Amino acid sequence: MDEREILTRFKAGTLGRDDAARLLNGARQPTTEPPHPPARPNADLPRPRTDAAATRPRTDAVAPVARPYPATESAPASDRLAAHDRLAAHDRLAADERPVTDDRIAVVGIAGRYPLAPDLDAHWENLRTGRDTSSAVPATRPGLAPSAPGRRGHFLDAVADFDPDFYGITPAEGALMDPQERLFLDVAWDALEDAGYTGPRLDALTTASGEPRALGVFVGAASHDYTLLAAGAWTLDGRATPAVGHWGLPGRLAASLELTGPAQAVDTAECSALTAVHLAVGALRRGECAAAVAGGVELVLHPSRLGHGAGEGVGAVVLKPLPRALADGDRVHAVIRDTAAGHSAPPRSSTGAAPRRTGGAHETRETTARRIGSAGAVTGIAALTAAVLQVRHGVLVPGGAETTETPWPRTRDEAGRELPRNATVEIATDGGGVARAVVEEYPAKPGEDHPAEPGAEDTGGDGGPLLLSAPTPAHLAATARRLADWLSATVDAGQVPPGVPPAGMARALRVGRAAMPCRVALPGTQDATELVAALRHFADTGKAGAGVLAADLRDGGGDPLGLNALPETRDYLLALWRAGHTAPLTRLWLNGVDVDWAALEAAAPRTAPALPLPPSARLRRPLWLDTDGARGEPEPNG
């Protein structure tokens, strides 16, 4: 088959990109084959689809390998790239000749905790400055610090702390939960709040069959240290023990939010979290769920695992098909073009031992290890998170011999059009497991930023109320204080004038957050300085000030008129919304009426896009195997 026929078949769609590239390479190579062709460990592993003409960061500059195709490809790199460039050119020439199906996956929410970084803002600062995140074993780590004098690693702070009340969990049950399960629950919730999907918008996530709350949960985890600690400390005296297995990692979140999508835990060693992302992408493309949370977690809790450079972390992303994300007005951090996962055992030596693999796949893991340590199951989501942050900010963080961040300019195609930044995240295990994902920048196109409707007020998002809710008064006060601190810092940084609340603030709180029993409503017409003062007054005193209304529905006395049971209530609420009567809507919400703000806006849109806000506050306290849940006073620590 000559080159012309190869390109013709590729253009017609009867020959895949990678097969066409290999055939093109073969057409340029000598016809005489060696008697024993070299083994290709990844020959059968699906290749991620990518645009070879797009910008590729230099090797080891991005947390994921800056290599668009697997290092184990047999053809020389220059030939591989030349072949893919020719195919990319034919892609562009044929773009108007065949229907295009956009199956890219949008990252619409993201959160994480990594060494010396309680949130992603701090983690990004560590990445861009090349900070060394290693430290001694935390002195507060139960059962670990006394057995490891002088040992260093990359550790999270306060992993014993948890807020069971926020999720309606008893302290005793919380103490038996694996801290990995607790951490993932917190970070997944933060990612969902970042995406705006812990509140009424969850009901709009439906499958083709109409099943609501169709959110999948996929989690990578590989260690069972908490169970090992319990087994070593307790005898068979009838005492309750932590559960064995990782089913609780996805199951706890699914049960808390009454989700109907798939929920799976994955253990493929260092590939675990990236394999979880791969499974989530597949479930979305098959229509098994309308959105998905995918991530991973790793904690070092048992002294036997304090190896050299031990690392920890937890991260999660919220994924949706890109066309649906744009139609729903979601904020897109980046897109995932494709993923792959599989196993490719390395060739064995003459002694029968499997040698350690070297090359591109391991470069990703080693780069991530320099930043957060040898972090096991969380390695893939840490690398993916670093890639998303870099394509979003247009910056390459230090890696390898580099010590400072560098700008990441976009390249242009033959027609002079800017191409999006992209990078490949690739993780491999010593045992042969491989997982990868192609991450790409998504610059918003004109008309996709969902501006406010003409005539809509631009205070607090749309002039409507700012609604906060939480499970207890203490949680509500802590969340109000956190929001006041964030708004004050936003004003001080000059990002918002003192007299103008950020557009989208009210909408983000109203449609993106769960409605819990303790509630407060503040006027969205106040300026930013007044809002900060009102939030601080409520946080400090627990009392509503001028124009501020509060309610506590924990006694079950909500909805005294029984409006939730009446079929006419929905039409009544919609009529109020369309007429701009947000004050009575607010009072109904404070009295326990189920006001589906997202449905109201869908029926009569007139608001600005939701704004990314700090997550709800948790009141964590130490809960461990030897506690009855009463030890320690709650503190608002995030």
Side-chain angles (χ1 to χ4, degrees):
M1 189 185 303
D2 61 17
E3 180 172 323
R4 182 175 180 178
E5 184 177 356
I6 293 170
L7 292 174
T8 299
R9 292 190 180 187
F10 170 73
K11 182 177 177 181
T14 60
L15 189 64
R17 173 187 293 276
D18 293 303
D19 290 335
R22 285 193 289 273
L23 289 171
L24 284 171
N25 290 330
R28 300 179 61 190
Q29 302 297 323
T31 56
T32 303
E33 295 185 358
H36 300 288
R40 294 176 56 203
N42 290 336
D44 297 326
L45 187 65
R47 307 291 188 199
R49 185 184 68 257
T50 187
D51 186 349
T55 301
R56 301 182 190 96
R58 56 190 175 279
T59 300
D60 218 21
V62 172
V65 172
R67 189 190 313 278
Y69 305 103
T72 51
E73 190 72 49
S74 59
S78 58
D79 290 344
R80 291 201 313 275
L81 296 182
H84 279 283
D85 285 340
R86 278 181 286 165
L87 296 176
H90 275 72
D91 267 347
R92 289 189 291 273
L93 290 174
D96 296 330
E97 301 177 15
R98 61 175 183 265
V100 176
T101 301
D102 193 343
D103 64 349
R104 289 177 293 175
I105 302 297
V107 179
V108 298
I110 188 167
R113 286 179 60 186
Y114 295 99
L116 303 185
D119 54 41
L120 280 194
D121 287 339
H123 182 53
W124 173 241
E125 186 66 17
N126 289 346
L127 290 177
R128 56 181 293 272
T129 59
R131 182 185 184 186
D132 179 7
T133 62
S134 65
S135 65
V137 177
T140 57
R141 185 67 60 92
L144 200 59
S147 62
R151 301 294 290 272
R152 295 182 65 84
H154 301 255
F155 302 103
L156 300 185
D157 292 328
V159 299
D161 293 359
F162 182 57
D163 181 358
D165 300 326
F166 186 87
Y167 303 100
I169 297 172
T170 67
E173 184 182 5
L176 287 177
M177 289 171 60
D178 187 331
Q180 294 185 134
E181 182 179 330
R182 307 175 197 166
L183 278 173
F184 182 77
L185 184 60
D186 270 349
V187 168
W189 189 279
D190 289 349
L192 284 168
E193 286 196 339
D194 181 62
Y197 281 104
T198 60
R201 295 182 77 207
L202 261 179
D203 290 326
L205 293 177
T206 57
T207 59
S209 62
E211 191 76 16
R213 295 187 172 244
L215 180 75
V217 186
F218 301 85
V219 193
S223 61
H224 297 82
D225 290 6
Y226 205 57
T227 302
L228 291 176
L229 290 173
W234 295 350
T235 59
L236 298 178
D237 58 0
R239 192 185 310 188
T241 60
V244 177
H246 293 308
W247 61 266
L249 283 159
R252 182 76 64 171
L253 180 66
S256 297
L257 292 174
E258 299 179 350
L259 305 180
T260 58
Q264 291 181 244
V266 182
D267 181 357
T268 53
E270 291 91 347
C271 292
S272 297
L274 204 54
T275 301
V277 171
H278 171 67
L279 294 175
V281 168
L284 289 169
R285 287 177 174 164
R286 291 189 299 271
E288 296 173 2
C289 50
V293 176
V297 60
E298 180 80 12
L299 290 180
V300 179
L301 304 178
H302 197 278
S304 64
R305 295 211 305 125
L306 272 176
H308 177 70
E312 300 178 325
V314 55
V317 291
V318 182
L319 307 175
K320 287 181 70 177
L322 180 60
R324 180 160 184 173
L326 296 178
D328 292 345
D330 294 315
R331 180 167 47 101
V332 179
H333 295 277
V335 295
I336 296 176
R337 290 187 61 124
D338 217 342
T339 61
H343 191 274
S344 179
R348 293 186 175 274
S349 67
S350 59
T351 61
R356 176 182 176 88
R357 291 188 58 182
T358 60
H362 276 284
E363 289 175 22
T364 302
R365 193 175 71 184
E366 291 164 9
T367 301
T368 305
R370 285 196 293 270
R371 294 169 178 155
I372 65 169
S374 298
V378 81
T379 302
I381 196 66
L384 183 74
T385 296
V388 169
L389 293 175
Q390 287 173 96
V391 300
R392 190 177 76 185
H393 290 285
V395 170
L396 294 170
V397 301
E402 299 164 347
T403 57
T404 59
E405 65 179 0
T406 56
W408 185 357
R410 301 186 185 98
T411 58
R412 296 179 180 272
D413 62 12
E414 295 87 342
R417 296 172 297 188
E418 276 195 339
L419 298 171
R421 307 175 183 96
N422 68 13
T424 295
V425 182
E426 188 177 81
I427 303 293
T429 69
D430 292 334
V434 183
R436 64 174 67 92
V438 179
V439 179
E440 185 174 85
E441 177 189 19
Y442 185 77
K445 299 180 178 62
E448 288 182 354
D449 52 354
H450 302 275
E453 290 289 315
E457 296 180 52
D458 196 28
T459 54
D462 60 2
L466 279 86
L467 309 179
L468 300 180
S469 69
T472 69
H475 286 89
L476 188 57
T479 296
R481 185 176 294 108
R482 167 174 286 190
L483 190 61
D485 292 343
W486 172 84
L487 183 55
S488 178
T490 302
V491 172
D492 291 344
Q495 298 173 3
V496 174
V500 182
M505 183 176 175
R507 180 172 186 261
L509 294 170
R510 194 168 56 231
V511 306
R513 302 288 174 98
M516 299 185 183
C518 296
R519 306 179 179 188
V520 63
L522 299 93
T525 53
Q526 291 181 315
D527 64 34
T529 302
E530 291 172 334
L531 276 176
V532 169
L535 287 165
R536 292 201 190 285
H537 174 78
F538 180 79
D540 293 340
T541 67
K543 298 178 181 179
V548 177
L549 302 173
D552 188 340
L553 307 177
R554 289 179 298 167
D555 60 0
D559 187 24
L561 300 178
L563 295 179
N564 288 330
L566 300 178
E568 297 83 3
T569 298
R570 176 182 171 85
D571 292 337
Y572 172 56
L573 298 178
L574 181 57
L576 291 175
W577 173 258
R578 282 177 167 161
H581 298 316
T582 56
L585 276 171
T586 301
R587 287 193 292 270
L588 289 170
W589 179 79
L590 287 167
N591 279 280
V593 174
D594 295 334
V595 180
D596 189 339
W597 300 98
L600 296 181
E601 292 188 6
R606 60 182 182 86
T607 60
L611 184 74
L613 299 175
S616 300
R618 315 297 202 280
L619 303 180
R620 300 188 180 101
R621 61 180 181 269
L623 293 177
W624 206 249
L625 292 171
D626 60 350
T627 181
D628 59 3
R631 188 181 66 183
E633 293 298 323
E635 293 292 340
N637 58 1

